[in-house]
Amino acid sequence: MINEEMYKWNDERQDLDKKRIATSSSPNQEGGEDEHIRLIVWNVAGLRNKGPLFWKIITEKDIIILSETWLEEKENKQFSKKLDDLFRWDFLPATRSKKKGRAKGGQLIGVRRSLDWAWTCEK
């Protein structure tokens, strides 16, 4: 859900399909920056095929939790070169139960560096 609207990623178009739901607005009374932390949790069904719009949407948030990345330990270092430096990133690798087919699971967690939080990711 983004701004009280429900979205679903369309891999074919590399875009979001939007489904509007009930909305509410809460403007900042002082007219300044919003003090809320923006969080996104998303089952991405693989990260290899995500285009620029996907990365634009998630990096607008402060905390990013992506599940089902399908990235194995050996791919994490190479993939991490593509990630935005404004975040601290941690991977939980996907695991492979058989030699054939793709790995299952995997998480990518990012916290905006400006939050200055101490955190750990236990594997």
Side-chain angles (χ1 to χ4, degrees), residues 14-45:
Q14 288 291 299
D15 199 358
L16 290 174
D17 292 331
K18 180 168 72 170
K19 177 181 176 185
R20 185 135 185 127
I21 60 172
T23 62
S24 62
S25 61
S26 55
N28 186 333
Q29 298 298 324
E30 290 76 29
E33 290 272 328
D34 190 356
E35 294 181 13
H36 293 90
I37 292 176
R38 298 161 299 167
L39 167 75
I40 188 166
V41 179
W42 197 337
N43 179 330
V44 295

Side-chain angles (χ1 to χ4, degrees), residues 23-24 46 52 58 72-73 75 85-86 88 121:
T23 62
S24 62
I58 67 164
E72 296 180 73
E73 186 77 46
E75 299 170 285
D85 286 339
L86 296 174
R88 289 187 311 262
C121 189

Side-chain angles (χ1 to χ4, degrees), residues 11-123:
D11 279 329
E12 200 171 288
R13 289 193 346 255
Q14 288 291 299
D15 199 358
L16 290 174
D17 292 331
K18 180 168 72 170
K19 177 181 176 185
R20 185 135 185 127
I21 60 172
T23 62
S24 62
S25 61
S26 55
N28 186 333
Q29 298 298 324
E30 290 76 29
E33 290 272 328
D34 190 356
E35 294 181 13
H36 293 90
I37 292 176
R38 298 161 299 167
L39 167 75
I40 188 166
V41 179
W42 197 337
N43 179 330
V44 295
L47 279 179
R48 291 180 200 93
N49 62 347
K50 302 302 185 230
L53 179 60
F54 171 84
W55 294 103
K56 179 185 179 305
I57 290 167
I58 67 164
T59 55
E60 290 173 348
K61 308 305 176 207
D62 299 311
I63 299 173
I64 303 164
I65 303 170
L66 304 177
S67 62
E68 294 297 326
T69 63
W70 302 343
L71 295 176
E72 296 180 73
E73 186 77 46
K74 63 185 177 186
E75 299 170 285
N76 289 345
K77 187 175 267 190
Q78 178 70 21
F79 191 82
S80 64
K81 294 175 185 176
K82 299 178 182 181
L83 299 173
D84 194 317
D85 286 339
L86 296 174
F87 291 84
R88 289 187 311 262
W89 297 97
D90 202 355
F91 284 96
L92 294 173
T95 57
R96 185 177 296 273
S97 58
K98 301 175 184 174
K99 285 189 176 190
K100 292 186 177 183
R102 66 167 172 78
K104 296 181 178 159
Q107 289 186 348
L108 175 62
I109 302 167
V111 176
R112 189 172 295 280
R113 291 183 187 276
S114 62
L115 291 178
D116 196 30
W117 283 2
W119 62 290
T120 61
C121 189
E122 295 182 21
K123 298 175 182 169

